[in-house]
Structures are given as structure tokens and as C-alpha cells.
Amino acid sequence: MTCASCVNRVEKKLGKLDGVEASVNLPLESAHVTVPAGITDEQLVDTVNAAGYKAKIRPSEHAEQVSGSAAPGDHMAHGAAPGDHMAHGGAASQLRPRLVLAAILTVPVFLISMVPAFQFAHWGWVAGALALPVVSWAAWPFHRAAAINARHLASTMDTLVSIGVAAAYLFSAWQLFSNPRMTEHPGMEGMEPGGLYFEVAAVVTTFLLLGRYLEANAKQKAGDALKALLNLGAKDATVLRSGGETKIPADQLQVGDVIVVRPGEKIAADGLVIEGSSAVDASLITGESVPVEVGPDSKVTGATINASGRLLVRATRVGAETTLAQMARLVSEAQTGKAPIARLADRISAVFVPVVLVIAVLTFGAWLLLAGPAVSEAELRAAFTAAVAVLVIACPCALGLATPVGLLTGTGRGAQLGILIKGPQVLEDTRTVDTILLDKTGTVTTGRLAVDNTMAFEGFSPSEVLRLAGAVEAASEHPIAHAIAASALAQITESAARTAVAGSPLLRLESQDGRDDDGARLPAVGQFRSAPGGGVAGTVDGRLVVAGRTGWLQESGVRISREQRDALQAAEASGATAIWVAVEGAPAGIVSLRDTIKPGSAAAIARLRHLGLRPILLTGDNAAVAAQVADAVGIPSDDVYAGILPAGKVDAVRKLQAGGAIVAMAGDGVNDAAALAQADLGIAMGSGTDVAIEAADLTVMGNDLAQVAQAIELSRRTLATIKTNLFWAFFYNAVGIPVAALGLLNPMIAGAAMAASSVLVVANSLRLRSFGR
């Protein structure tokens, strides 16, 4: 394919098959085709062939059926354009020989024709001879494509170029043959060289080849992000089999295989760490530069890099099921789609070339008509020049490239930043949203509790209460227990309190990442017991320590005074999760825990406001907890929805929509999926579930709220770039064609402008590659 007219024709041909929907992408040279039962791959390929092109079914994992599609199957057809693969996506190496020859021969043709000092006797014949290889071999792809299209009663940009170049050369040759002495004596009266247009034909061909060469290079850069994403995965994997290590190609991995990952190696598949601890660099996937600490039972993603320790990873997803493959599939599908704004370009391109041909004929006729009955040679030259300029200046290429190249670059850059844009429609949605619902847990906060305060009763100190609570909780697997034990461990590490227990039996506590914290130890616990949902108990330093909820303490024979009970209620009213700690049957203190707010949440919410969005906090927690989080991140109390059940999240979205708001929703859990689907723009945090990601329009692979703001900003920037491209593509033709028809534009300048229009559209899109840097 060479222009928007080609795209339109292929789509129409495929669309004539019963039930088939096709979206054709010019720079990717592909068609995404949704087919009903009964339509075969052969029918699709034959239909494209019948339109004058060539295609084959792309054999890749990206051709799998799109989840949620009502059609029995989606296919990716990869096309080959007529004309030695001279399509816009053609390799620059295929264009280079033709461009080099054209440039070498065009320079002397131009100098001989335009500079009197370089002219000599019969120079016209030399110019014609030098221009012949340019307009034939160098321009052959244009002529061949035009001929193939004509055979199918169609016309494209190649038709305009071929006619313009051929007309200029053949008219000049006719002039020269009809008057062989035309350039015998340059400057002789009546022997003006103005009837020769060899330099026009050669220069136009060279400019167009140069434009396509630059365009091919630029578009290759636009697609580099997706290619880089596809190449991120590990090529080999070392697995444990038959008691030893075996190196195999990564594509032969099976679910359940145990992969050995040494420092510096890429993890070959999504999996679960079963042994070892390390820091994993996930920046290639999530866009976040800080390495993630992992240990036993930690989930890891394929294509991330093991930075330090040796890991054993049990593969849970391989091949097309890995996170990397899903990312590539989403990006590829997004790039094959069409934004609503592009439909106008499609409608115009369908009639563009025939209309230009008519305008060129009318221009030629109008100039002759205005000249009167006796048309002079100068008037004939003027009419011919204007008609050729109209043919050459008209360029539907820029129209065809405006949307897909912008989308290609924007979605590719998003993938590099860990942002997945599902399709072109999402770009329009990000422009219109004015309200964003933020699920608290996992989006604004980490979803992990941390000790916020330790209160001690008479006879105890806060450090002692935390140390004893941490010791007994260290034997439990509950998340609250982990948080208390970790805080107690940090306290012992940072203070001289270890000396107070130097003679006690010591327990080395492993942190959640599986690594020992050297020098950090908690007192050993004996006679440990626990009650699910209640608490834990055990002996520490020879004393019975009980930690947990009120009911658990009462079951353990601990009496709680009214003042102590009021202290617990005050802690809970402030939004904290409060845990009793009792020693030898008497309350010793209260440990308060809170869900920790992500470090960048406040700045991200301020950035969302700057983008014109109204952030609203949504949570199932009580009003006190919600108010505390909202105050910390800068959300007014009026914009807090607390105590919301999963079903209530959907109702909250609907209520805002009913009030006229255009709603975006950001969440990461299964209970967010319905609300993400209901929202005008669903944004899934990549640390969440597959269900949430599938229901969303935008996915950020990291868990930083700042990426949500970045995703919206990138989407809006991409849409703005596409609109700018379309504006200049329309403006160029709207101004260029009338100027050419009035005879105010030299065909050579028209050729340069035509080539520049496509290059400028691609170059403008490439600016998106620097987004976020």
C-alpha cells in the first residue's frame, strides 16, 4: 500500500465479505480482520489479491482471538504492496539504489536545463537521455503500482505521480522530436528551452524517492518501541530436570518448570520464587526504575532482570500467556485500530485521487480556454505546467499516515514507560474525562499495614510493648503479624535495646524478602498458640504475652479497664487498626497500624488536578480511615466515598455519570473490574489482577499512581499529535492544489513539498518518543 486510498480500497474489499470487519494500517502494512464462522483465511487472502495487492496470514501469537470479541476469530493479515515493496513501510535499503541513481543523474539534468552557463549545443538531447533512467527505472515502482491499480479500475497517489512524471517527460520528448534543433543554439530567438520539462520529471522523481526514503527510516523508528518490547524476553532458560541443570530455548518452557536464574540473567517466564532472594529490575516492564526485592512466594515477571542473588523460579505462565506477550498483543492491537477522528480522512481519501485527476484536467482546459482560440506556445506551456503541478502537489500520503504513525509512536512510547493503551478510542476518552475515581487500597495506598504508633500503659514502655508484641507475632503468618514483627525488628536494629536481652535465647527473623537481617533478632517465643481472626499468645522472656483483638484478650483472662478501652476506641476512630498487647494477664499497651500511603500519591493527585481532573477517593474502609488518607494526599472531604462495597463502586460511577461527569476509574483488584468497565475510561494498575486489566482501557504496569497521570498525559499528547498531523495534511492540500492550479507553483517545488508533507507528518509523530524524558 502507498497511501490512504489503498487503505480505503482494501478495507472496502474485505468488508464486502459477509460479516467481515477490517481495519487496515498503512505504516504497519497489516490488516486486523474480524471474521464470522465460514470465512476462511484463503478467502481473505484472495480478496486482497483481487484488489491488486498481496497478503498472507501473519503466523504469530498476536493473531489469537481477542477476548470479549463476539466474532469467532480475529486474524492479522500482513500485506505486501505492489511495486517491489515500495510501500510506505518498505525498507529504506530497497529505496536507496533508486534514490542514489536518481540523485546522480538529476543534478546534471537540473544544471543543464536551468543554468545557461552549463548549456551547450543540443543539450536537450543529453538532458533527455540522462533523465530517462530516472523516470523509468528509478520511478518504476510508481508506474508499476499505478498500472496495477488501473487494471482494477482504481487510482492512488502512485497514479498521480506516474501520470505527472510521465507527462512531463513525454511532453518534453515530443517537443524535442518535433523540433530537433530546439536546443541547437541556446538563447537563439524562437528556440526557447521553455518547452522542455526533463528537469521537472527528474527532480520530482528524486524528491519523492528521497521523501519515501526518509519516511521509511522515520517510520522504522516509530515502530522500534514495539520491536524492542517483543525482543525483551529471554532467549534461553536454565531449568532443573533429572536432578541437574539443563539449558533450553525459552520457547520450550512449560508451566511447572523450575528455572534457575543467576545474577544478571533475565527471568524467562512469569513465575513464583521457590528459593533464594534478590532484587529484580522490572523497569523494562513497569517503567519504574527502583528494583523490587523478591523472595520465596514472590511473583516475578518474565523479561525482568535478576540483579543480585540466585533464584529458583517455578514457571506459571509461558509463551503467549506471559505478561510480556500480553503487553505486546495489547500494543499491537491498539496500533491496528482507528481513532474516530481518522474516519474523516478515510472518507476523503476514498475520492481524493479521482477528484485530483479531474482538477488537473479542468486546470489544463481552463488555461487553454482563457488563452482564447489561438493558443501560443507559452500559453500551452503554462497550462501544462499548472496541470502537472496539480498532479504532483496532491498528496493523500500525509492523510493516510497522520493517524497510524502518531498512534504507532505514542503506543510504542507508552509500552516503554509501562503504559498500555488498548485502542485509538481511548485517546478520545482521555481528552473528555473530567473526574477520576481512585480506589484507595493498592492505588493510593500500598495495601500493606505498617505500625503507626505504640501506646504503653503503666509499668511498660512503648519500645518494650513493641518488642514483646513483635516477638510473639513473628511466629504468625497474618499480614498484621508481619507488620508488627517487622517494625519491632527495625526498632531492635536501630536502637541499643538489644543489649537488654543479650542473655536471652534469640530467634533470627527472616524479612519478607527472604534475606536475613544481620544483627537483627527478636526474643524467642515458646508455647505459641493462635486463633484465626483473634490473635496470638506465647511466652517471651519467661512471660506470657497475648496480642490481638478484645475478644481474644478476654478469652485469655485479661481484664481491660474503661480508660484502656477508651484509648483503643480513640485509636480506631482515627482510622487505625488497633491491637491489644497484654503481659502476664495485664494490658501492656496498644499497637496501632495503618495502610501506608504510596510515596508519590500526593504529587500524582496534584498532577491529575493540573490535567483538569477532579480526584475522588473510593474505599470500603470506614469514614475515619478514608478521611485520614484523603487529608494526606490532598483530597477534600467532600470528594471521599467511604464504606463502599464492590457493587457500590459501580453505583458510584453511575451516580457521577448521571450528574454529567465523564468518569475515569483507577483500580487494581477483582472487585474493581465492574467499575472499571462501567467508567468512561477504566485504568488498571498493573500490580492488580488480570480481571481488572482486561476490564480497563488503560493499563499501567507499575503500581505508582504517578503513572496514571502520565498515562492520561501521554494519551492526550498522542491525540494532539494526530490532530496536528491531520490539520497540516488537510491544510497542505487545501492550499497547495488551488495555488498549483493558478500556475503559481513550479512542479519541482510541488514535488519537494509533496515529499516533505509525509516526512513532516512522520517527524512530528516521532516527537512522542521523547515523552517523559
Side-chain angles (χ1 to χ4, degrees), residues 650 653 664-669 672-685 691-693 695-698:
V650 178
V653 174
M665 165 77 185
D668 72 335
D672 298 324
L676 290 172
Q678 175 64 37
D680 299 290
L681 178 70
I683 306 171
M685 305 293 284
V691 177
I693 293 173
D697 303 302
L698 273 173

Side-chain angles (χ1 to χ4, degrees), residues 444 597 605 617 625-637 639-640:
V444 177
I597 296 171
I605 287 171
L617 188 67
V625 174
Q628 185 263 338
V629 173
D631 182 64
V633 297
I635 295 178
S637 57
D639 290 336
V640 177

Side-chain angles (χ1 to χ4, degrees), residues 119-159:
Q119 293 175 357
F120 46 85
H122 299 294
W123 62 263
W125 295 95
V126 175
L130 291 174
L132 183 59
V134 178
V135 300
S136 56
W137 185 78
W140 176 246
F142 301 115
H143 303 316
R144 183 180 178 186
I148 291 174
N149 287 315
R151 192 175 68 203
H152 293 274
L153 301 179
S155 56
T156 67
M157 184 215 67
D158 291 302
T159 306

